[in-house]
Amino acid sequence: MKRVYADANATYGILPEVREILRDYESSWQTSDGGTRRSVSPYLNGSAIHTEGQRARAVIDSARSFVFSATGLTAHRHHVVFTSGATEGNNSAVLAPFLREDRADFSGRVISSTVEHPSVLDPLHRLERYGVEVVRLAPEPDGTLSTERVLAELSPHTKLLSLVWANNETGVIFPIPEIFSAVREQFPQCLLHVDAVQSFSKLRSDLSTFPFDILTLSPHKFGALPGVGVSILSQHLPHSPLLLGGGQELRWRPGTENLIGIASVAAALSALPERWERYAERVSKLRDRLEAELLARFPGCSVIGRGVPRLPNTSLLWIQGVRTDDLVVALDLEGVSCSRGAACSSGKQLGSHVLGGMGLPPEAGQEVLRLSFRADFEDEELTLLRDRLFLCLERLGLATPR
């Protein structure tokens, strides 16, 4: 049975370009007779001052240059910091502004939304326990959030604005460039953090066209290895790292760098332009076709966020009357990999916090199915997915029109 992978928002899978660079590093380090060559090993410490260490450092510096090139940013205005992942990056972005090097200051307010990733929501809960005022804006029922709604909540006492650019469950896109530009103009003292984990890998965008202080990326969402993240920091951001104990990454993220993970970031970034084009030109049309056929066959279903700006690869289906935990298992047995929502929320009995944060009823969180496609998703896979999805829905008792 040919399997169909429809969970790309959880992780993309390692790209061929990444596999190739892994093979190149390994083969360049070890000869066929077991000896070693004078080249770079993917397992060396880039902080060492000997020759091998400096070659490892060159790999890290090259990957940093790839990030600048892919984002449209420059080293004159921003730092690129490699982390363990976007969870660490988001935690640091939310907590660090309140933990200066000389003291902790839990005054001021934070503005965010009710549909953020748990790596933002949980640090916000911690800040509240420390006495920080946190305002969480609920999007409209279609998942959108306007610039006016954000500006209405800001004041001179707002220390941080933290928003996701594109939601990983609904795919709905917030107008981050517009929001951040307006906030910077009216409240220049407010630090701006954007979680760009899903948006960066699927939407072609020049990050130099709007202001931000911290932007977080998760390279395994676009084909790099898991276990490495990218945080892009404004040069004027006060130095307030969450982790201490070393001089790596300009002291923003101490600890020995994940050299092989960082090398995979560069390889994955080199393949992004082609994938951006495929998402826009092909995958969005396949996604829309699947949704139209589903709604025609099962009119009781709906698509969350349909009709508003969304990621081109993401479809969140609300299948009323069907527990999607059962549906996910049934689809898996039929050869389809998908999810009920974010992978980090799997197993939670309360369902998706995102739908609750949009004001939808509690049962909706138990009745949604997320489909998210890679850039190489093809017509044949769409047909297989559609047929297997319809079969499973009928088996689970979802009625079709007579």
Side-chain angles (χ1 to χ4, degrees):
M1 177 191 298
K2 179 176 180 179
R3 292 192 64 86
V4 178
Y5 185 68
D7 203 17
N9 284 9
T11 194
Y12 194 91
I14 301 173
L15 291 178
E17 292 86 349
V18 172
R19 294 186 187 277
E20 181 178 354
I21 199 171
L22 298 182
R23 286 193 298 268
D24 288 347
Y25 277 130
E26 192 65 33
S27 63
S28 68
W29 180 248
Q30 185 170 2
T31 62
S32 58
D33 61 1
T36 57
R37 297 174 176 172
R38 287 284 184 178
S39 187
V40 60
S41 166
Y43 313 114
L44 291 182
N45 190 327
S47 297
I49 62 172
H50 49 60
T51 299
E52 288 81 6
Q54 291 310 294
R55 286 174 176 156
R57 169 56 50 190
V59 171
I60 297 171
D61 291 342
S62 175
R64 216 183 305 276
S65 296
F66 264 95
V67 174
F68 281 122
S69 177
T71 58
L73 302 172
T74 68
H76 299 295
R77 298 182 62 183
H78 293 90
H79 300 299
V80 168
V81 176
F82 293 111
T83 67
S84 66
T87 292
E88 178 190 329
N90 284 342
N91 271 254
S92 296
V94 173
L95 296 175
F98 297 88
L99 301 172
R100 300 297 187 208
E101 287 196 294
D102 56 342
R103 71 188 190 284
D105 180 5
F106 297 111
S107 63
R109 304 168 77 228
V110 178
I111 307 297
S112 190
S113 84
T114 57
V115 297
E116 300 297 313
H117 190 272
S119 60
V120 169
L121 292 177
D122 288 353
L124 289 177
H125 286 303
R126 176 171 291 186
L127 287 179
E128 282 184 310
R129 292 196 294 271
Y130 293 159
V132 176
E133 180 186 1
V134 177
V135 177
R136 299 173 182 82
L137 301 175
E140 302 300 323
D142 61 5
T144 57
L145 181 67
S146 69
T147 301
E148 292 71 26
R149 287 276 314 284
V150 176
L151 290 176
E153 292 293 340
L154 268 77
S155 73
H157 302 292
T158 305
K159 185 175 288 187
L160 173 69
L161 171 65
S162 178
L163 290 174
V164 68
W165 197 338
N167 190 269
N168 67 323
E169 295 190 26
T170 66
V172 174
I173 300 167
F174 287 170
I176 291 297
E178 177 185 321
I179 292 173
F180 278 24
S181 296
V183 172
R184 180 52 50 87
E185 181 178 350
Q186 297 188 34
F187 301 96
Q189 84 292 341
C190 179
L191 294 177
L192 303 173
H193 165 236
V194 55
D195 174 350
V197 165
Q198 296 293 342
S199 60
F200 176 73
S201 60
K202 302 171 184 71
L203 302 172
R204 187 187 298 273
S205 55
D206 183 353
L207 301 185
S208 68
T209 59
F210 67 96
F212 65 86
D213 297 294
I214 310 172
L215 182 143
T216 45
L217 302 175
S218 183
H220 79 94
K221 305 294 187 183
F222 52 89
L225 292 171
V228 61
V230 177
S231 289
I232 303 176
L233 313 175
S234 170
Q235 289 265 10
H236 76 261
L237 188 68
H239 191 259
S240 54
L242 193 61
L243 302 178
L244 304 173
Q248 295 89 347
E249 298 301 297
L250 302 175
R251 292 180 57 243
W252 275 104
R253 204 284 177 173
T256 302
E257 293 97 340
N258 174 2
L259 182 62
I260 195 64
I262 292 171
S264 78
V265 173
L269 284 173
S270 68
L272 262 185
E274 177 187 350
R275 283 161 176 77
W276 282 331
E277 183 176 349
R278 287 183 63 87
Y279 273 131
E281 297 299 323
R282 288 185 48 80
V283 176
S284 61
K285 295 179 175 60
L286 293 175
R287 187 271 313 271
D288 293 347
R289 195 172 95 202
L290 175 65
E291 290 178 353
E293 292 177 359
L294 173 76
L295 298 178
R297 182 74 169 267
F298 301 98
C301 297
S302 57
V303 179
I304 305 296
R306 194 174 191 228
V308 301
R310 279 186 298 162
L311 295 175
N313 78 317
T314 304
S315 181
L316 189 66
L317 310 176
W318 184 4
I319 306 170
Q320 298 185 48
V322 173
R323 283 183 57 87
T324 43
D325 278 347
D326 298 332
L327 180 56
V328 168
V329 172
L331 284 167
D332 187 47
L333 293 174
E334 291 294 330
V336 176
S337 301
C338 58
S339 64
R340 147 178 118 175
C344 57
S345 300
S346 62
K348 292 184 178 180
Q349 296 304 308
L350 296 179
S352 168
H353 75 277
V354 169
L355 299 190
M358 293 164 54
L360 297 176
E363 61 269 19
Q366 302 279 359
E367 298 175 339
V368 288
L369 181 75
R370 184 185 70 180
L371 303 174
S372 54
F373 310 119
R374 289 165 48 110
D376 57 2
F377 191 68
E378 296 287 353
D379 293 68
E380 178 189 0
E381 293 176 290
L382 177 76
T383 300
L384 290 174
L385 172 58
R386 179 201 62 202
D387 293 347
R388 293 170 185 179
L389 175 60
F390 289 4
L391 174 65
C392 289
L393 290 176
E394 290 171 352
R395 284 178 177 172
L396 290 171
L398 201 64
T400 59
R402 295 185 177 182

